[in-house]
Amino acid sequence: MAGITLEEVSKTYGNGFEAVTNLNLDIKDGEFLVMVGPSGCGKSTTLRMIAGLEEITQGVLKIGNRVVNNMQPKDRDVAMVFQNYALYPHMTVQSNMGFALKLQKLGKEEIRRRVEEIAQLLQLTEQLDKKPAQLSGGQRQRVAMGRAIARLPQVFLLDEPLSNLDTKLRVEMRAEISDLQRKVGVTTLYVTHDQAEAMTMADRVAVINRGVLQQVTEPQGLYDQPKNIFVASFIGSPPMNLLEAHIDHDNRKIRLGSQSLDLPTDILIQRPKLSSYSGRTVTVGIRPDDLKETTLLPKNPAKVRIRASIDSIDTLGTERIVYFHLDAKPVHSENALGRDDDTGLSTAMSARLAGRFSASSDVRIGDTIEIAVNTEKLHFFDPFSGLAIR
Amino acid sequence: MDQEARHRATTARRWWVLVFLIPTLLILSSLVLYPALRTITDSFLDRFGDQYIGLENYSALASSPRFHTAVLNSFLWATLFPLTVVTIGLVLAVLIEKVRWETAFKLVLFLPVAVSAMSSGIVWRMMLDDSPERGAFNAVATLSASIVSPAGDLAGARPTTGTITLNPDGSIAFPVEVSSAGAVANLGLIGIAEVDLPGNATTANPATRQPKSITGTIWRDAGSSNGQKGKIDKDEIGLSGILVKLISPSGSTVAQTYSVTGGRYAFEGIAPGKYSVLIPSEVTRTRWTGIEWLSPSLITPAAMLAGLWIWAGFSLVMIRAAMTRLDRDVTDAARIDGASEAQILRRITLPLLAPTLSVIGITLAIYGLKVFDLIIGIAPEPVQDDANVIALEMWRSAFTGLGNRGLGSAAAVIMFVMVVPVVALSLRSFRGSETRT
Amino acid sequence: MKQDHGVEGTASRRPRRLTEFVLVLIALVWMIPGFGLLITSFRSADEYARSGWWTALYRPGELTISNYVEFLSNGNLLGTLGSTLLIAVPATLIPISLATTAGYALAWIPFKGRKAVYLSIVSLLVVPFQLALLPALELFGTIKLSGLPAIWLFHTAFGLPLGVFLMHNFFAGIPKSIIEAARIDGAGEGSIFANLALPNALPGIASLAIFQFTWTWNDLLVALVFAGNRTPITVAIQQRLNDFSTGIEVIGPGVLLGAVAPLLLFFAFQRHFETAMKTGALH
C-alpha cells in the first residue's frame, strides 16, 4: 500500500482550458481523502490524472515512491469506481469482479475464492450469476465497489460513486463505504460535489475550486476554521452568512448596516491580525448556527443582538431555518475572490441571512424579533483577498 | 526511464492501430480509391483504353437517346423513389402505432429485403404481366372493372362496310331512309370473339322488306372463306339476342328491339323518313384489359413499385425504431400543453425524426442510383431501353457486345457525378450522427 | 400497449377499425407476390403460360413438385447454389473482421489524424461500385487473381465503408467509462477489444452480417464481372430471363431457394438486429 503525492500538478487541455493549477496534495498511506468542490472545479480531472486516464501537463505524481506520470493505468495498481459504475454489461457480477484478476493471470480457484470473499463482504453472494442489468441501483454500486476491492490495489479512486442513488440509499452507502475502507485500509481518494459525503466520510477533506486547491484539513477544522470565503460558503448548510461589516477603530464594535454588535474583548488575542483592520471594512461570516432566538437565551446581553423581521421560515422538524434581511451589503464568495466581477450582487444594500432556530421556536413570518449573535464565533475575511483574518 | 515508459505505451498503441487499420486502408485504396480515379481518367480514352480521345465518350453519351432515358430514370430513382419510400414508411409508422400486431406487420413488410433485387423484379414481372389471365394485378383490376362496366355481348364488334359507321364511343349506326314500302338494314359485323357467339347460333337469315317497317339481319360477316363483305353469305352466322335501337333524326330513341334467331330484327309501323339503326355502345363495349405495366411508358414506375415492395419495410422499421427512441416526455409535455395528436405529429415528432428520415432518404437515393439487378429482373428485353438506368447502361457499354471501356467509364463517371449532391448531404448527416454518439 | 383515455374511447374506435383494415390489406398486398411465386414454382411451364397462378388455388391438382425435382437433381443448378454460398460466406466474414478491428481502432485508440481517416473511409460509402469494376478487373488480371478470391476482395472493399461506419458507431456507443474501467483493470488494447468491445458490439456485428450477407448472396453484377465459370444462382437465373416462360421452371425454384439463406440468417440474428435498431447506431 502507498500514499499519493501530487507536486505542482497542472492540467491544461488542448483548447487552453486550465482544469487544474499547481496542485500540491499529499494523501497519506491508508488515508480516506475526500475531494469536494462544485461541478467543473477540476476534482474529477485530478482523480483521472491519478488513474492515468488523463495526461498530466505539468508537475509530478507519485504513488508510493514511484513517479507514475507516464505510466499506463494498468501499471499503476489503482482501482476506480465510476459515477455510472461502468460495469461490463455482458459479464456476470462474478466475472465483473474477477476481470482484473483474470488479466493478472491469477488461478481460477484463487479468483473464485477472492470474488466470493468480497461478495460476502458486500452481501452480493446471491447476485454473483446475474448480469448488471438485472441488479438494483444499490447492488450495482456494490458490484462496482467489489470490483475495485477485489484487486487489492494500492489506491482506490472513487468518482462520485453515490450520485446515482436515491437519498436514503446514499446515506446507507456512505457508512458502508467508509466502513469498508477502514476494513481494507487502502489509500482512497473520493471525489464528490456533496459536502455531506465529504464531512461524514473523510479523514481529511480537500476543497477545490476552479482548479485550485483551497484547503485540506479534517472535516471539523474545515467547518470551524475555513481558510477563505469560498470554503466558508461551500461547507455548511445553510451556508455561512457573508456580509460587509465595518470594524470600529478600537476593535470594540462591528457595524452591520445600521446596527452594531459588541465584539468579544479577547477578539484580538484570538485573531491578532484583525488589529490591522481597525476602522476598515471587512467581510464578516456568521454561521446560521450562531444566530439564535433571544427569547430562548434570556441571559444573552443586549449588545450582541440584531433586530430583524422574519421573511420566511423552513420548518424541518428538528429545527427551523429562519430567514431575514439586514441593510448590509451582501458578499458573494466568488466576488470576494476577485475572480468574477458580477457587479449586480455587490451594489445591493440588503443581505439575506439565515438563522438556525430551535424547533420549539414560535416565531412567525412578519414578526420583528431580536436575534442573538454568537460573536465568539464570527469569521472575518479580507474583503479583497477573501482570506480568513486570524 | 519515464520517457521510456511513455514511449513503450505509445509504441504498443501504434502497433495496434497499424494491425487494426492497415488491411482496411490497403484494400480500400487499391480496390475503391485507385479504380475509381482510374475510371475517371479512362473515360477520356477509346474503347480499348489505349488512346486519349478527349470528351468524345461524353459527347457520344450526350447524343444517345438511350442514355438520356437512363439519366432521367436514374434521376427519378434518386429523388422520387426515396421520397415515396420514406413517405410511405412514415405513414405506415404512424398508423401502426395504434395497432397491437405491430411486430407481425413490420416483419411481413421487412421480409422482401432478404430477396435479391433481381428476384423481386422477376416476381413483380409476374405480378404485373399485361395479360389479365396471368398477371395477378391486372386480373384483379379487370375483374373489378368488369363489375363496374361489364363487357357487351358483341365486345369489339365493328362494321364491315363503309355505309355503316363506327362511332367513337363504339356504337354502330346504319343510316336508313324509310319509304312507305319499308327498308332493309343489314348489319354485317366482324371482330367478334368466338366465345361471344350465342350458343345456339344459326346461319344468318336474310330479312325481307316489309311495308312501314325496317327489317334487317345482324350477322357475322366473316364466316365464309369465299364470302363477300356486306353480303350475307351462305354459311355466315346470324347474331341473335342483340339490342338494336331505332334513332330518329333528332337523336331520340324511337324504338328498340332484340334480334331473333338467324339475326333478324324488325321495327314495324314506322313513319317514312330518315332514321338510323343503332347497335348501342354497351353491346360492343370491350372488356378492359388492365394497365400495361410492362409497356415502355410504365416500366419505370413498375420497377419503382418493385423497389417500394423491397424497401418500404426497411423504411418503416427504421422510422419506428427512431420513434420509440424519442423521449416520450417531450410528446407528453406537448399533450399537456394542449397539442392535438396531429399537432404533436407535425410539430414535435416530425422535426425530431427529421435526421432519421434524411438518413433513410440518402441511403435509398444511393441505392436508387446504383439500381441494376431490379431492372434486369423486371424489364422484358424489348422494354429494357425504356427502363434503362445509368448502372445498366454502364454495364451494357463496358461488358456486353464488343465492350467499350472508354464509354463504360464515362457512364460510370456520370453516375458518380449524380451521387455528388447526395455525398454532400450524407456527409452532413454523418457528421450530425457522429456528434450524437 | 397503449390504453385509450376514457374520453376519446368510443370516438376513436371507428378510425382505429379502419386503420386496422387498411393495414391488413397492405400486409396482404405485401404477401401476395411471394405467395404467387411460391405457387408458380409448383406449376409446370405449360400451366404458367396458359393461366395465372391463382387458378391453381381452385385446381390444386395441377400443382407439381417436378420443378424442384429437376432443380435439385440437376448438378449444375445445384452447383450454382453452392457457388453462391462459396461467394457469400467469405465475402461476409472478411469485411466484418476488418471493419470490426478498424472501427474499434477509429473509435477507441487515440492517434493523430484519426478523425480524418474515419471521415475519408466513410465518404467512400458513396462511391458506386460500378465505378471500380473495369480497373479492378484489370488489376486482378495483372496479379493473376480471378474467380472466388477476386469476388471476395471486391465485395470486401465495397462492404468496408459501411462496415467501418457501423462498427465505429457501435463501439463509440459503448460508455467511455467501461473502456476506462478495463484499462484500469489492467487490460491492454487487444484485451479490451476481445473481452469488452466485441461482446458489446454483437448487435452491430449481427446487423452488418445481415446486410453484407444479403448483399453478396443476392449480388448479380459483381458476379457477372468476376465470377468466371463459378456461376452463382443469380447469374443462372439471369441467363434464363430472355426466355421467361420456359425459364420459369428454373426461375421459380431458383428465386425461392435463393431467398432461403438470407431469411434464415435474418431470423437467426433477428434479436441482435432489433437491439441494434433500438440503439439507433445503424445510422
Side-chain angles (χ1 to χ4, degrees):
Chain A
M1 253 157 271
I4 306 169
T5 314
L6 292 94
E7 290 165 12
E8 295 291 315
V9 168
S10 295
K11 171 75 191 180
T12 313
Y13 284 104
N15 58 11
F17 175 69
E18 197 168 350
V20 175
T21 311
N22 298 340
L23 186 69
N24 286 293
L25 185 63
D26 199 357
I27 307 171
K28 295 187 205 72
D29 190 1
E31 185 179 24
F32 193 126
L33 188 121
V34 177
M35 193 174 263
V36 69
S39 61
C41 70
K43 53 188 193 299
S44 283
T45 308
T46 308
L47 183 96
R48 291 168 59 82
M49 282 194 286
I50 297 173
L53 298 172
E54 302 276 359
E55 243 175 68
I56 296 168
T57 316
Q58 241 171 49
V60 176
L61 170 68
K62 287 185 195 164
I63 295 176
N65 298 321
R66 295 184 302 168
V67 175
V68 297
N69 280 44
N70 294 321
M71 220 176 246
Q72 289 294 298
K74 58 182 174 130
D75 302 325
R76 295 192 184 195
D77 200 9
V78 297
M80 182 159 164
V81 177
F82 291 79
Q83 180 172 358
N84 61 4
Y85 317 137
L87 299 179
Y88 308 129
H90 59 298
M91 297 183 189
T92 60
V93 168
Q94 189 158 225
S95 335
N96 258 286
M97 297 206 288
F99 183 60
L101 306 180
K102 206 171 114 190
L103 291 172
Q104 286 172 12
K105 304 225 155 55
L106 260 59
K108 264 198 184 143
E109 201 43 43
E110 167 73 5
I111 296 177
R112 201 186 52 83
R113 197 185 52 75
R114 237 203 260 182
V115 167
E116 274 174 7
E117 201 178 294
I118 286 154
Q120 195 140 31
L121 190 68
L122 291 164
Q123 298 152 35
L124 285 169
T125 313
E126 307 279 296
Q127 330 294 345
L128 277 178
D129 292 324
K130 291 187 183 162
K131 295 223 174 134
Q134 297 165 285
L135 303 177
S136 70
Q139 287 168 336
R140 276 181 222 178
Q141 216 288 325
R142 281 206 188 93
V143 176
M145 287 295 299
R147 187 173 65 179
I149 298 169
R151 295 184 45 193
L152 305 175
Q154 292 202 38
V155 169
F156 265 165
L157 302 169
L158 294 92
D159 188 3
E160 309 242 5
L162 302 182
S163 60
N164 284 356
L165 300 179
D166 61 50
T167 322
K168 189 165 168 279
L169 208 51
R170 208 181 302 165
V171 174
E172 279 173 32
M173 286 307 292
R174 264 190 225 161
E176 220 169 286
I177 290 178
S178 23
D179 250 24
L180 212 57
Q181 196 269 343
R182 230 156 280 141
K183 260 183 227 162
V184 267
V186 176
T187 314
T188 301
L189 176 61
Y190 184 110
V191 159
T192 180
H193 64 272
D194 180 347
Q195 50 158 315
E197 280 173 26
M199 300 298 272
T200 52
M201 300 167 81
D203 294 332
R204 282 196 304 158
V205 180
V207 181
I208 187 165
N209 186 38
R210 295 176 186 249
V212 178
L213 187 64
Q214 307 288 319
Q215 187 171 8
V216 192
T217 186
E218 69 279 5
Q220 197 59 46
L222 212 57
Y223 189 78
D224 292 340
Q225 299 191 304
K227 222 170 150 184
N228 59 33
I229 288 189
F230 176 80
V231 178
S233 63
F234 189 77
I235 303 292
S237 171
M240 183 185 283
N241 303 300
L242 290 166
L243 47 159
E244 252 184 43
H246 188 83
I247 299 182
D248 70 354
H249 57 88
D250 55 2
N251 298 316
R252 290 266 173 90
K253 281 180 190 296
I254 183 169
R255 209 173 62 233
L256 303 166
S258 56
Q259 308 195 37
S260 73
L261 292 167
D262 274 9
L263 288 172
T265 46
D266 60 350
I267 187 92
L268 284 183
I269 299 165
Q270 289 190 9
R271 298 173 175 83
K273 283 195 181 139
L274 202 58
S275 61
S276 56
Y277 289 85
S278 308
R280 285 173 56 189
T281 299
V282 295
T283 299
V284 71
I286 313 170
R287 289 253 179 237
D289 318 34
D290 299 327
L291 292 170
K292 296 287 183 219
E293 196 180 356
T294 324
T295 47
L296 301 174
L297 300 164
K299 282 186 228 154
N300 183 269
K303 287 178 177 173
V304 290
R305 295 177 183 176
I306 44 179
R307 277 184 77 77
S309 79
I310 308 298
D311 287 342
S312 65
I313 301 171
D314 294 345
T315 301
L316 300 174
T318 55
E319 61 194 25
R320 306 182 82 193
I321 309 294
V322 171
Y323 297 92
F324 54 92
H325 275 85
L326 277 189
D327 56 350
K329 199 166 161 187
V331 173
H332 190 260
S333 72
E334 298 294 289
N335 292 6
L337 286 174
R339 289 270 194 120
D340 198 342
D341 36 15
D342 190 350
T343 47
L345 275 168
S346 50
T347 50
M349 277 310 289
S350 176
R352 192 179 194 235
L353 278 67
R356 198 187 297 273
F357 281 23
S358 142
S360 57
S361 160
D362 55 2
V363 295
R364 278 177 299 181
I365 293 173
D367 288 355
T368 299
I369 56 162
E370 300 233 298
I371 297 156
V373 182
N374 184 353
T375 49
E376 301 280 343
K377 293 201 168 171
L378 288 181
H379 300 260
F380 298 92
F381 302 96
D382 183 281
F384 301 106
S385 69
L387 292 176
I389 304 167
R390 276 196 203 117
Chain B
M1 155 145 179
D2 240 27
Q3 289 305 317
E4 204 178 301
R6 177 180 284 191
H7 183 72
R8 221 180 311 126
T10 36
T11 318
R13 197 166 272 175
R14 203 166 288 157
W15 193 77
W16 280 112
V17 172
L18 288 182
V19 170
F20 278 8
L21 271 179
I22 288 298
T24 295
L25 293 178
L26 212 65
I27 290 182
L28 284 176
S29 49
S30 62
L31 284 176
V32 179
L33 203 58
Y34 159 74
L37 296 174
R38 182 64 196 281
T39 294
I40 295 175
T41 56
D42 279 357
S43 70
F44 303 107
L45 304 181
D46 66 4
R47 67 162 56 239
F48 308 107
D50 292 336
Q51 251 179 352
Y52 178 78
I53 54 167
L55 291 173
E56 243 172 72
N57 290 319
Y58 290 95
S59 58
L61 287 178
S63 59
S64 147
R66 203 171 80 177
F67 191 70
H68 291 173
T69 318
V71 170
L72 176 69
N73 284 338
S74 279
F75 179 75
L76 292 177
W77 273 103
T79 51
L80 187 66
F81 171 68
L83 209 67
T84 315
V85 176
V86 170
T87 310
I88 287 183
L90 185 66
V91 170
L92 291 177
V94 172
L95 290 182
I96 199 71
E97 202 178 8
K98 300 214 161 57
V99 299
R100 258 169 279 161
W101 29 273
E102 176 179 342
T103 316
F105 184 81
K106 282 196 296 195
L107 193 65
V108 166
L109 264 77
F110 192 79
L111 286 184
V113 174
V115 182
S116 82
M118 184 179 64
S119 301
S120 309
I122 292 172
V123 172
W124 278 92
R125 181 161 158 185
M126 285 165 47
M127 291 300 127
L128 298 178
D129 196 304
D130 291 348
S131 149
E133 265 75 56
R134 288 186 302 165
F137 194 92
N138 273 343
V140 173
T142 53
L143 184 68
S144 24
S146 69
I147 292 166
V148 181
S149 67
D153 295 335
L154 297 177
R158 53 184 195 274
T160 45
T161 57
T163 47
I164 311 173
T165 52
L166 176 66
N167 294 325
D169 67 350
S171 60
I172 293 164
F174 192 151
V176 227
E177 195 166 350
V178 186
S179 62
S180 56
V184 173
N186 289 329
L187 291 142
L189 303 176
I190 53 161
I192 302 156
E194 206 69 38
V195 288
D196 283 344
L197 291 175
N200 53 352
T202 55
T203 318
N205 195 347
T208 49
R209 183 191 293 229
Q210 283 170 22
K212 287 186 182 173
S213 297
I214 298 175
T215 52
T217 303
I218 304 169
W219 87 104
R220 191 169 77 147
D221 193 8
S224 143
S225 48
N226 53 1
Q228 243 181 307
K229 280 206 173 138
K231 195 160 170 274
I232 302 171
D233 295 312
K234 203 168 65 200
D235 45 5
E236 287 177 337
I237 292 169
L239 302 165
S240 58
I242 305 301
L243 177 67
V244 199
K245 288 181 177 179
L246 187 65
I247 309 292
S248 72
S250 64
S252 58
T253 305
V254 179
Q256 64 176 44
T257 183
Y258 289 90
S259 61
V260 294
T261 318
R264 286 170 59 173
Y265 71 91
F267 295 109
E268 289 167 351
I270 304 295
K274 286 184 173 173
Y275 295 91
S276 81
V277 175
L278 185 88
I279 299 177
S281 60
E282 61 254 41
V283 175
T284 58
R285 185 165 54 209
T286 51
R287 194 171 154 199
W288 182 60
T289 52
I291 305 167
E292 294 191 315
W293 284 104
L294 304 180
S295 67
S297 52
L298 285 181
I299 185 66
T300 296
M304 286 187 188
L305 200 66
L308 175 70
W309 181 68
I310 304 177
W311 290 104
F314 170 79
S315 168
L316 164 69
V317 168
M318 297 289 274
I319 294 173
R320 272 304 288 158
M323 277 168 87
T324 50
R325 271 201 314 277
L326 291 185
D327 190 355
R328 273 205 57 177
D329 289 352
V330 180
T331 46
D332 284 348
R335 208 161 278 135
I336 288 164
D337 281 348
S340 69
E341 294 304 312
Q343 282 169 322
I344 290 174
L345 178 67
R346 204 163 62 85
R347 299 282 179 79
I348 311 281
T349 312
L350 271 188
L352 289 175
L353 284 181
T356 305
L357 298 185
S358 66
V359 168
I360 302 172
I362 286 164
T363 312
L364 290 170
I366 294 177
Y367 170 84
L369 279 171
K370 295 182 195 171
V371 76
F372 169 81
D373 322 23
L374 183 60
I375 309 291
I376 297 261
I378 197 168
E381 195 84 355
V383 294
Q384 248 177 36
D385 277 358
D386 303 282
N388 208 3
V389 289
I390 301 186
L392 183 60
E393 184 59 28
M394 184 262 153
W395 154 255
R396 289 163 129 199
S397 315
F399 293 101
T400 61
L402 292 173
N404 186 332
R405 181 158 184 175
L407 201 64
S409 298
V413 169
I414 288 181
M415 178 171 170
F416 183 60
V417 169
M418 289 185 71
V419 183
V420 167
V422 189
V423 175
L425 274 176
S426 58
L427 273 182
R428 228 178 58 196
S429 0
F430 287 147
R431 211 166 295 145
S433 62
E434 205 199 1
T435 49
R436 218 181 27 188
T437 46
Chain C
M1 219 181 297
K2 273 174 60 176
Q3 284 240 297
D4 263 340
H5 301 294
V7 202
E8 56 176 7
T10 46
S12 70
R13 201 157 290 154
R14 197 165 304 163
R16 182 167 305 178
R17 286 263 168 78
L18 185 69
T19 307
E20 293 205 342
F21 176 73
V22 169
L23 289 173
V24 168
L25 211 64
I26 290 174
L28 283 177
V29 168
W30 242 258
M31 286 192 283
I32 283 173
F35 184 66
L37 178 73
L38 180 71
I39 303 279
T40 303
S41 72
F42 285 101
R43 302 177 80 217
S44 68
D46 289 347
E47 293 285 350
Y48 171 80
R50 194 176 304 135
S51 58
W53 51 266
W54 57 92
T55 54
L57 293 181
Y58 41 84
R59 288 202 304 270
E62 72 177 39
L63 291 177
T64 160
I65 58 164
S66 66
N67 293 342
Y68 285 89
V69 170
E70 194 174 321
F71 191 98
L72 294 174
S73 60
N74 181 331
N76 285 338
L77 287 175
L78 211 55
T80 61
L81 273 177
S83 295
T84 302
L85 198 68
L86 273 178
I87 290 171
V89 171
T92 304
L93 293 182
I94 301 171
I96 282 185
S97 42
L98 292 180
T100 319
T101 47
Y104 175 79
L106 291 168
W108 285 113
I109 308 182
F111 63 92
K112 233 183 213 158
R114 180 167 68 157
K115 195 164 182 175
V117 171
Y118 171 67
L119 280 180
S120 1
I121 293 182
V122 169
S123 56
L124 289 181
L125 253 178
V126 293
V127 176
F129 71 90
Q130 282 90 344
L131 201 60
L133 284 175
L134 282 162
L137 187 64
E138 190 184 54
L139 189 71
F140 287 143
T142 49
I143 58 171
K144 302 247 180 326
L145 202 65
S146 63
L148 288 177
I151 297 193
W152 295 338
L153 274 177
F154 195 83
H155 276 315
T156 300
F158 281 87
L160 273 175
L162 179 71
V164 170
F165 174 65
L166 278 184
M167 293 321 298
H168 169 272
N169 270 5
F170 248 92
F171 288 128
I174 297 174
K176 193 175 179 201
S177 57
I178 290 182
I179 305 282
E180 289 178 344
R183 285 208 175 121
I184 291 178
D185 270 353
E189 296 299 338
S191 171
I192 293 176
F193 175 70
N195 290 316
L196 265 172
L198 272 190
N200 281 300
L202 272 184
I205 296 175
S207 311
L208 185 57
I210 292 177
F211 287 150
Q212 183 73 5
F213 183 80
T214 308
W215 162 244
T216 52
W217 177 275
N218 287 333
D219 160 75
L220 171 67
L221 185 47
V222 177
L224 278 173
V225 175
F226 296 110
N229 47 15
R230 272 276 174 199
T231 316
I233 181 85
T234 45
V235 175
I237 292 174
Q238 187 256 351
Q239 285 165 352
R240 284 171 175 82
L241 279 181
N242 287 342
D243 194 359
F244 198 84
S245 38
T246 57
I248 199 71
E249 287 171 323
V250 172
I251 295 171
V255 168
L256 267 172
L257 292 174
V260 168
L263 283 179
L264 282 182
L265 191 75
F266 175 73
F267 283 116
F269 285 169
Q270 191 193 1
R271 199 170 49 86
H272 286 308
F273 186 68
E274 276 167 16
T275 315
M277 298 292 292
K278 277 190 200 118
T279 61
L282 290 192
H283 49 77

